[in-house]
Amino acid sequence: MDSLTLFQPALPAGALRDLTLLPTGRRYRFPRTARLLDIDASARYRTGGLPHGAHSDYLHPESAHLLMSLAEAAR
């Protein structure tokens, strides 16, 4: 067993869902059964200054769109 496996939570089947970051003109359809979402934003977040690189490249309209869509789904 590798060290990463030790820290992975035990989730029921279907609780973790993978989604892709969407453009602002598209509507998210969040699965109701998911407890944890893994958003792949690698196509959008590629640049950013030192020392963090892409981790500091989040100031885009798509970021706000995702955040607001999650807030709306949680209501």
Side-chain angles (χ1 to χ4, degrees):
M1 179 183 299
D2 62 33
S3 61
L4 183 59
T5 305
L6 293 173
F7 297 104
Q8 292 178 345
L11 294 172
L16 174 64
R17 298 295 298 268
D18 296 320
L19 297 175
T20 302
L21 185 72
L22 296 178
T24 57
R26 294 194 45 206
R27 184 177 178 91
Y28 282 97
R29 292 189 185 354
F30 298 115
R32 292 285 180 197
T33 58
R35 293 178 53 199
L36 186 63
L37 298 174
D38 181 14
I39 309 296
D40 178 8
S42 60
R44 183 63 175 113
Y45 306 140
R46 294 179 176 264
T47 61
L50 293 174
H52 304 295
H55 288 115
S56 63
D57 182 33
Y58 58 87
L59 297 175
H60 298 286
E62 294 88 353
S63 302
H65 174 53
L66 172 61
L67 181 62
M68 299 306 292
S69 296
L70 285 165
E72 179 182 26
R75 292 174 28 144

